[in-house]
Structures are given as structure tokens and as C-alpha cells.
Amino acid sequence: MTKSEFRLAYAPGVTPGKWARVWAERVREVPLRLIQMPAAEAVLLLRNGGVDAAFVRLPVDREALHVIPLYLETTVMVVPKDHAVAAVEEVELADLADEHVLEPLDEDLAWVDRPGQPAFTRPESTADAIELVASGAGVLLLPQSLARLHHRKDLTYRTVTDAPQSQIGLAWLEAETTDLMEDLIGIVRGRTPNSSRGRTPQQPPTRKKPPQKDSTPKPRRRTRRPT
């Protein structure tokens, strides 16, 4: 029985389009359905069978899961365009000592010691925190992909060189490592079509070459003319 579709969840900020295009070329018989959802919900939906795989932000609870770490995201500081930080290319956490740093409830960064000063409130979401930054209520640190996702003309962002980073990974259930899952793993890892499931491409059998004829011209025999 052919599977009707392969369901792939992804956290906001992740851009799965390039992998989806390769999937469409290689796995034409099974459509790939992309489902964006909050990072905290992706693993729960995966465990409940609502999706077949998910691009998640690490770390996650890996019980009964396979997880492939993929890439780290740059952490940036979002500020109004007229903020002093907008005049530089990058900052360090020490530069935030006097800033009110917003801490949304869906924050994706793991802090040991939070920088700056606590803001007056904890917004429900990153989108709400962006609104507060625009109002001048504080600044926000988050992965660069989310800063791009929530882009506003009145805001800008700068790299924070020594901040924790968010890492993106591909997760799926250990018990569900199907052929389609192997196809997705191969695509994400950049394998060629012949090796997308870890297979070694079959080499054509070598044929024994026939013996080569000696192509060196032989000297012509001279005949003596009668005198």
C-alpha cells in the first residue's frame, strides 16, 4: 500500500523549501506536506503520530526519538532603528547591561545567566515581544531566522557574538525509520539519489579487455632485382 503523503512539521524560522523541492523530484509518488507549528508543539505532535518527522529546535527530550543535529543559528538583538546599537555591526552580552531584555514565554534560547535587566512583563510569544520592542519597552534576543520572520521596517537587528545559539535538528520516532524517512534523511544530508538511503551505488561489472593487436608496422621485405 502506497502512503498518501509524508507529513513534515517545522518550527517557525526554519525554511524547508529547498528540501521540499528535492523531495518533489525524487519521491514523486508521495507528496510532502509541510506543517509549520510552534517549536514546543512539534515533538508532542510527532510522538502522537500527527506527523512523520519534524525540524525542531534543540535540545529536545530524545526518548524514543532519533535526532540528527543540522546547523546552528546566529543569535541577534532586535532593537528600534534609532537605537544606539543600530550604529554598530555586532555587540557582546556585556553591552546589554543596562538594557531591559524581553523574555517571551516561547523563547528558543537556553540561558544560564540572562543578560541585561528584566523587562516589566513576559510576553506570551515572540510576536508579542517584537511589538514591545517596537514600542520602546525593551530589546529582544532571538535566532536570526526568527528576526527575519518577524521583520518590521521600524526595527533592525545586530549579531550578539557571545550569546547562546539555537540549533536545528531533524527528529523522528525510532520505531518509524521507514523507507520514506530514509529518503528524507538522504535529502537533508545532501546525498545523491543513488545513495539517499545509505546504499552504495552499484558499480557495473568490469569486463576483461580482449588482447590488443600489435599495431607496430612490420618492416617490408626487400626483393632483389635481377642484374
Side-chain angles (χ1 to χ4, degrees), residues 62-107:
R62 297 197 179 198
E63 183 181 356
L65 293 180
H66 282 307
V67 179
I68 300 175
L70 297 177
Y71 60 89
L72 287 169
E73 297 188 285
T74 300
T75 299
V76 300
M77 174 183 178
V78 180
V79 297
K81 280 194 172 180
D82 59 358
H83 193 284
V85 165
V88 299
E89 293 186 0
E90 56 187 31
V91 296
E92 298 179 352
L93 291 177
D95 299 325
L96 280 66
D98 297 327
E99 299 286 351
H100 290 91
V101 180
L102 294 159
E103 185 183 357
L105 295 177
D106 63 352
E107 186 171 38

Side-chain angles (χ1 to χ4, degrees), residues 42-178:
V43 172
L44 180 60
L45 189 64
L46 181 61
R47 294 188 187 280
N48 291 339
V51 293
D52 301 292
F55 288 115
V56 297
R57 282 197 165 83
L58 306 179
V60 296
D61 179 5
R62 297 197 179 198
E63 183 181 356
L65 293 180
H66 282 307
V67 179
I68 300 175
L70 297 177
Y71 60 89
L72 287 169
E73 297 188 285
T74 300
T75 299
V76 300
M77 174 183 178
V78 180
V79 297
K81 280 194 172 180
D82 59 358
H83 193 284
V85 165
V88 299
E89 293 186 0
E90 56 187 31
V91 296
E92 298 179 352
L93 291 177
D95 299 325
L96 280 66
D98 297 327
E99 299 286 351
H100 290 91
V101 180
L102 294 159
E103 185 183 357
L105 295 177
D106 63 352
E107 186 171 38
D108 295 301
L109 299 175
W111 296 97
V112 177
D113 295 311
R114 292 193 61 83
Q117 303 297 319
F120 73 97
T121 184
R122 287 199 68 185
E124 289 287 333
S125 66
T126 297
D128 293 335
I130 291 289
E131 293 291 335
L132 290 174
V133 173
S135 72
V139 300
L140 178 64
L141 278 75
L142 75 176
Q144 184 174 358
S145 65
L146 289 179
R148 290 174 175 168
L149 180 66
H150 295 285
H151 170 72
R152 288 175 53 129
K153 292 182 179 180
D154 55 346
L155 300 180
T156 188
Y157 60 83
R158 294 295 183 266
T159 299
V160 185
T161 57
D162 55 348
Q165 293 176 293
S166 171
Q167 186 172 29
I168 300 301
L170 175 63
W172 71 99
L173 292 175
E174 289 179 350
E176 296 295 333
T177 307
T178 62

